Structure formats: C-alpha cells, structure tokens
Amino acid sequence: MWGLEIVAVLVAECVEVGLNTMSKAAMRRGMNNFIYSAYSTSLGVLFLVPLAFFFHRITSPPPMLTFSTLSKISLLGAIGYCVQMCMYLGIQCSSPTLASALTNLTPAFTFILARISGMEKLDLKSKSSQAKCIGTIVSILGAFTVTFYKGPPIIFGSPSSISVLHEQAVQFQSPVVPQQNWVIGGFLIASGSFILAILIIVQTWIMKDYPAPLMVTLLGNSFTSILATAVALILERDPNAWKLRSNIELVTIVYAAIFMVSLRNIVLTWLVRDKGPVFVTMFKPLGIVIALVMGIAFLGDTLYLGSVTGALIIAIGFYSVLWGKAEEEKAVEEINGTNSFGPNCNTNKFPLLQKESTEEA
C-alpha cells in the first residue's frame, strides 16, 4: 500500500532490534551506558558530516537555518538523549524482548500526542476512528501485561549461557540482574517509548519549517553527542572506564553509530516529513517477533508466558490502529478521486496528516 516507505520502516525496525540485542550482550560484559552513548553518538556525527557534505553538493543545498529552527533541533537532540538513556538502562535491567514489547506503546503515545497537538483528526462516529481509539487502549493494556505479569517460562535459556553470565557478573563486579528489576526495566522502557513519541512529534514540527532530513539528523545528533559526552565525563571520571573491554563493545558502538544514530534516524526523519508521525510508529509490533528469536538464539534468554501474552495483546491493538489508518486513507482517496482535481490527482505526495486534514475540511 505504501511501497518504499514500508520497506524503509521495516528495515529501520530490524536495525533497532538488532541494536537492542547487541547492546544487551555488551552490557553483560560491563559496557557503561553513558560512555556507550557518548562514543556512539560522536562516531555517528563523524559519519554524518561527510555524508551531508557530499549529498548536498550533488543535490540542492539545505534551507538557511534560523535561530528558532536551531533551537528546536537542539531540543530534539536533548529529547533523543533522554530516549537513549531510558532504553539502555531499561534493557540493562530486563531484556531486548521486553524492550521490543514495550516500544509497541510508541504508536499509542504518538497517536494521543498527535491528537492533542492537532496533527491527527478524530471522529468517534466513524469506524476508523473507533478502531484507532480501541487499538490505543488495547496496546496500553498489553504493555502493562508484559511489565507486571512475567508468568511461567515457556522456553528456558541455555544453562551454559547462564553460567557464562554469572562468571561475567563476578568478573566485572556486577551482579546478575534480580527478578524485581524486571518492573524497573519495564518502567524505564515505557518512559522511553513515551519520550520517543514526543521526539517524533517534535520532528514533525521541525520538518514543517525545515524539510531537510539529513541536516536535521546531523544537527540533532551533534547536540545529542555534546550532551552525552558532557554527562559521561561528569559521571565517569575514571579514565579506565573509557577503555573498551571486548570486541562486542566496539562492534556495538560502530553498529549503533552507523546504522542507528545515522542511517535509521535519516530514514525516520524522512518518513516523518512525508508520511506523518503516526505512520512511522505503526510497525513497532514486528520488533517483538525479531527480538524473541534473537534473544533466545543469541543470548540464551528465557521466554516467559507474560511476554508472549502481552506482545499478542499489543499486536492486536496495533493492527486495530493500522486498520483504522488504512480505512481513513481509503476514504480520502475516494474523496480526492471525485473532487475538482480529478481522479488522476496524486495524493501520495502529501503526508498522511495532511490527507486527514483534507478529509475533515
């Protein structure tokens, strides 16, 4: 239905889930979250600078920056750092599977914030709007299920991986994460999902005035890098803490810098500009399937009934929202096919939010 945009957002989701799994493995080997963020964002900026330079030499230069736009982008960078810290600390306390389950709250949060800010139109008399509202509520209930109900194990982690984790915990003086931290990790990840929804709304806000995804990504990550480095220097004054202890730490930092901080953020900023904030977050439930497979296969995670049950509830809620969005777009296309512009009017050039505004008008 949406072609290239669907492929792009699915690839971005796979990149995010892959990073969740890799960062969890690196944390188990003692990687510091604050230093990790400083390294990955700084390296990401170094990757983006030549990319932006050559891209805008081939294409048209970006619009002139105003102080107001630069202030908004700096706010975007600060919000991005808050998202990173909530996610990294939440994953450290729990697992990549829980992270992928609870980030499915992002579509619900984004829809609510978009509705409050006037970016999303709502008519409770229509079935599509009813589906979106019900899906939002169901998604939130599913997230609570994953967080507060762990349930019996379905698939046990491999004993060898558990013993290795215990040895690593003793080596780095970091005890194996206790079961009660599951709730703390869930709260941090859910908070990160809400802040991520705010970030996407702010991105949409910026894109209206400054529609240059690559430059916005570069400048936003530059502010994030400055903030992350400053916080890491304040909290970690031991020079030895900045040394990378294993190859997995180096690989995770490089992966995060190139694929997550740089390429994924460019893709999502472009999608926010062209399709609106709700579209960007609609495919989050796919992450739980990828995370379950990767967590069990590579980390020896134990699969619990609560994770599966909650993920299914979240997925049902999500696809209810997706159906509502599809019905709204179908209605807009039918209206545009009979309006004064004629049936050949190309509505795909307009963001989803603009289409919904046309429908309301």
Side-chain angles (χ1 to χ4, degrees):
M1 181 173 57
W2 289 296
L4 178 61
E5 290 85 353
I6 289 182
V7 175
V9 76
L10 290 179
V11 171
E13 188 63 31
C14 292
V15 167
E16 181 177 349
V17 174
L19 179 64
N20 288 346
T21 305
M22 293 176 65
S23 61
K24 179 67 176 182
M27 290 170 193
R28 286 173 170 176
R29 288 163 174 79
M31 184 176 69
N32 182 284
N33 289 307
F34 299 102
I35 295 176
Y36 166 50
S37 179
Y39 275 142
S40 60
T41 52
S42 299
L43 184 60
V45 171
L46 293 178
F47 176 79
L48 284 169
V49 168
L51 186 64
F53 175 77
F54 288 112
F55 177 79
H56 287 296
R57 285 199 64 180
I58 298 173
T59 62
S60 58
M64 290 294 294
L65 271 171
T66 64
F67 178 77
S68 174
T69 301
L70 193 61
S71 299
K72 294 175 184 176
I73 295 176
S74 65
L75 174 63
L76 187 70
I79 296 173
Y81 180 69
C82 293
V83 173
Q84 285 185 8
M85 286 298 99
C86 285
M87 292 299 181
Y88 293 159
L89 294 173
I91 291 172
Q92 187 175 28
C93 291
S94 55
S95 73
T97 301
L98 181 65
S100 294
L102 287 183
T103 51
N104 288 304
L105 276 173
T106 306
F109 288 140
T110 304
F111 173 72
I112 293 172
L113 293 176
R115 177 67 186 95
I116 293 173
S117 62
M119 295 181 179
E120 184 81 12
K121 304 303 178 182
L122 185 65
D123 180 10
L124 293 178
K125 295 180 180 179
S126 67
K127 292 182 178 180
S128 59
S129 292
Q130 292 172 3
K132 291 193 296 183
C133 290
I134 293 173
T136 300
I137 297 172
V138 170
S139 296
I140 294 174
L141 292 176
F144 281 129
T145 301
V146 175
T147 305
F148 295 106
Y149 174 63
K150 198 169 185 179
I154 299 175
I155 300 176
F156 288 93
S158 61
S160 58
S161 66
I162 296 175
S163 62
V164 169
L165 291 180
H166 180 72
E167 292 173 2
Q168 290 172 347
V170 174
Q171 179 182 356
F172 296 116
Q173 297 181 348
S174 176
V176 176
V177 178
Q179 296 296 326
Q180 59 264 30
N181 280 4
W182 189 265
V183 175
I184 298 175
F187 174 77
L188 287 171
I189 296 169
S191 299
S193 298
F194 178 73
I195 301 173
L196 177 58
I198 296 176
L199 182 143
I200 293 171
I201 295 297
V202 173
Q203 274 185 325
T204 308
W205 179 34
I206 294 172
M207 284 291 102
K208 291 179 180 179
D209 299 327
Y210 193 77
L214 183 54
M215 285 302 299
V216 170
T217 303
L218 171 59
L219 294 173
N221 286 337
S222 298
F223 284 109
T224 302
S225 174
I226 294 171
L227 181 59
T229 303
V231 172
L233 289 172
I234 293 172
L235 297 180
E236 298 294 339
R237 299 184 180 182
D238 182 9
N240 292 325
W242 291 79
K243 296 179 181 180
L244 300 180
R245 299 176 177 178
S246 63
N247 291 334
I248 186 62
E249 294 183 25
L250 177 61
V251 171
T252 302
I253 289 171
V254 173
Y255 178 94
I258 296 176
F259 294 103
M260 191 77 174
V261 174
S262 302
L263 300 180
R264 173 185 172 275
N265 284 344
I266 293 172
V267 169
L268 294 186
T269 306
W270 160 59
L271 289 172
V272 162
R273 183 194 66 182
D274 288 356
K275 290 296 183 180
V278 175
F279 177 88
V280 172
T281 60
M282 283 196 305
F283 297 87
K284 283 292 180 184
L286 177 66
I288 186 62
V289 179
I290 303 171
L292 286 171
V293 174
M294 295 182 70
I296 295 171
F298 298 109
L299 297 180
D301 282 349
T302 299
L303 180 62
Y304 292 93
L305 178 62
S307 295
V308 176
T309 304
L312 289 175
I313 295 174
I314 292 172
I316 292 171
F318 161 75
Y319 285 110
S320 176
V321 176
L322 180 62
W323 181 85
K325 292 292 295 180
E327 288 298 305
E328 283 186 352
E329 186 157 335
K330 187 187 299 182
V332 171
E333 289 176 352
E334 291 175 357
I335 293 175
N336 287 337
T338 57
N339 65 13
S340 59
F341 293 100
N344 295 324
C345 178
N346 185 5
T347 60
N348 290 329
K349 294 182 179 179
F350 298 94
L352 292 180
L353 296 179
Q354 292 181 11
K355 292 179 182 178
E356 289 162 5
S357 298
T358 305
E359 181 183 14
E360 289 295 321

